Amino acid sequence: MNPTNKNESSFIFVSYYYKLVINARVFLYDILLSYFLCYAKIMHFVEAKSILTPRSMNLYRGCSHGCIYCDSRSKCYQFTHDFEDIEVKGNAPQLLEAALRRKRKPCMIGTGSMGDPYIPLEKELGLMRRCLEIIERYGFGVTLQTKSDLILRDLDLLASINRRTKAVVQMTLTTADDELCRLVEPGVCPTSCRFEVLCRCRDLGIPTVVWLSPFLPFINDTMENIDKLVDYCVRAGVHAIICFGIGLTLREGNREYFYAALDRLASEKGGEHGGINFTGMKERYERAYGYKYELASPDSPRLMKHLIQTCRSRKIMFGQTSVFKWIEDFPQEKSSQLELF
């Protein structure tokens, strides 16, 4: 090899090594930045005094799903921290075990009504899984509400609980259009992924309930959307559907966040997203509803009647009172059989 080739080879080796070091530094920086964003900025731990009220719990206060309509942002809930700075009840498993130990009879334990138990932080912290292990150990039932496919991680435990007592997975579906879903619920998996979760629950024998809500006026309050969502439910073998009405609720706190999101969508891509024109959408809401709490779709009566009739023809349980009673009913006969062993 002549000297020129040696110099070229050395230069190539040094260049490659230099790029490798730079890439390693960038990779390390990304890891540290992710760690900072996850643990230093968007969460804080608290020592909670209690966890069950009286049969439901919330492990996290705040959320990172970013749903533009989220009611939990409302000022009436008196958050003393940013909604995205999630409050973590780090001692929740210990409190839950102590509470279940004191209960005379097993019952259904619920979670997810005020905060999704499967936010991204749960992947690292595992509080929900530890709580499920405790619920299984003490022979209780569980029902949880989520929008996240992270629940797939815990289907083994939920299936085990369901064999012993009862486990019910409640999943929220808002729109059958994944593109629209990513706009209104940007920080969580799209509807098609949630459908896959429901199918996995069906295959494991875990009963499911779907919340069809909210239906945003002028956006996803259509017959086509309802039919596609119900079709998802039928194909996934969903036991029941809950729907409080064709519309949504807004109050101080979440109203401002919702309207700011509409303005942002109107300013991006010329306001066109998934066949919906968001230009002037906020102003349309203000003209139609002002500062009302309940924002019913202009087509609410017809759409609600259609939803009820469709559920009836597809043999899906529908109706708040009957569905909630079914969810909360604990199978005492299963529990009694376990006590024999």
Side-chain angles (χ1 to χ4, degrees):
M1 184 181 290
N2 61 48
T4 302
N5 289 337
K6 284 184 178 180
N7 290 337
E8 289 177 355
S9 298
S10 299
F11 177 76
I12 292 172
F13 175 77
V14 171
S15 298
Y16 173 78
Y17 181 76
Y18 177 75
K19 288 179 181 178
L20 190 65
V21 170
I22 293 298
N23 288 336
R25 289 178 64 184
V26 171
F27 179 68
L28 181 60
Y29 172 79
D30 287 342
I31 291 176
L32 292 174
L33 180 61
S34 298
Y35 180 88
F36 174 78
L37 290 174
C38 184
Y39 293 100
K41 184 180 179 182
I42 62 169
M43 81 171 193
H44 61 278
F45 285 89
V46 297
E47 288 289 307
K49 294 181 180 178
S50 61
I51 194 67
L52 289 181
T53 56
R55 293 186 297 177
S56 65
M57 62 180 181
N58 286 292
L59 309 179
Y60 304 105
R61 197 158 188 259
C63 188
S64 55
H65 288 343
C67 303
I68 67 173
Y69 53 77
C70 181
D71 176 71
S72 294
R73 292 180 179 274
S74 302
K75 285 191 175 181
C76 63
Y77 299 117
Q78 300 178 341
F79 272 75
T80 57
H81 53 85
D82 290 341
F83 191 72
E84 287 79 11
D85 179 14
I86 296 165
E87 181 179 287
V88 179
K89 298 175 183 177
N91 60 335
Q94 294 88 337
L95 290 173
L96 177 63
E97 183 163 15
L100 297 189
R101 195 184 295 125
R102 289 193 301 267
K103 285 189 175 291
R104 291 186 174 184
K105 291 184 177 181
C107 60
M108 296 296 289
I109 303 297
T111 187
S113 60
M114 281 298 296
D116 196 319
Y118 287 104
I119 56 176
L121 283 174
E122 168 62 21
K123 186 175 182 180
E124 305 299 328
L125 299 179
L127 289 181
M128 187 67 240
R129 183 166 184 88
R130 288 165 61 191
C131 287
L132 288 175
E133 290 170 345
I134 292 166
I135 288 169
E136 181 188 33
R137 189 184 315 140
Y138 284 85
F140 282 70
V142 67
T143 178
L144 49 86
Q145 189 177 348
T146 185
K147 292 186 179 91
S148 174
D149 58 356
L150 179 56
I151 191 177
L152 290 170
R153 181 200 65 186
D154 294 340
L155 289 190
D156 60 331
L157 271 172
L158 289 166
S160 178
I161 292 171
N162 192 56
R163 284 192 295 270
R164 298 186 65 195
T165 54
K166 181 180 177 181
V168 180
V169 170
Q170 302 178 57
M171 183 69 73
T172 300
L173 302 183
T174 303
T175 172
D177 185 335
D178 276 3
E179 184 180 352
L180 180 59
C181 182
R182 291 186 179 97
L183 294 175
V184 299
E185 299 162 339
V188 71
C189 67
T191 304
S192 59
C193 291
R194 298 179 215 176
F195 168 66
E196 294 300 327
V197 171
L198 293 169
C199 290
R200 288 283 293 124
C201 289
R202 176 202 62 203
D203 296 343
L204 292 170
I206 302 169
T208 53
V209 172
V210 162
W211 290 60
L212 294 184
S213 67
F215 289 102
L216 310 178
F218 321 124
I219 298 175
N220 69 325
D221 57 335
T222 66
M223 191 84 75
E224 180 185 15
N225 185 42
I226 289 175
D227 286 342
K228 287 182 177 179
L229 290 174
V230 173
D231 183 61
Y232 267 148
C233 294
V234 172
R235 289 160 57 196
V238 168
H239 181 81
I241 286 176
I242 293 173
C243 179
F244 288 98
I246 311 299
L248 81 157
T249 59
L250 293 178
R251 45 189 164 189
E252 188 178 6
N254 76 319
R255 180 185 292 108
E256 292 77 8
Y257 189 85
F258 178 67
Y259 282 169
L262 294 184
D263 275 341
R264 175 176 49 78
L265 291 170
S267 68
E268 297 173 352
K269 300 181 180 180
E272 288 284 343
H273 301 275
I276 297 172
N277 191 336
F278 283 87
T279 303
M281 186 67 76
K282 183 187 79 172
E283 291 74 18
R284 190 177 182 184
Y285 267 80
E286 290 175 330
R287 288 194 301 271
Y289 302 107
Y291 284 86
K292 288 182 180 179
Y293 169 60
E294 295 183 358
L295 285 64
S297 165
D299 206 16
S300 178
R302 185 177 72 93
L303 293 176
M304 195 65 178
K305 181 180 179 181
H306 176 73
L307 175 58
I308 293 170
Q309 291 174 342
T310 304
C311 287
R312 187 177 294 139
S313 66
R314 297 297 190 98
K315 294 181 171 51
I316 299 175
M317 181 185 287
F318 185 89
Q320 299 166 30
T321 302
S322 57
V323 175
F324 283 130
K325 184 179 184 303
W326 175 80
I327 291 172
E328 294 168 3
D329 280 345
F330 182 79
Q332 296 293 342
E333 66 281 0
K334 273 190 178 183
S335 179
S336 300
Q337 291 170 6
L338 285 171
E339 289 175 3
L340 295 175
F341 300 95

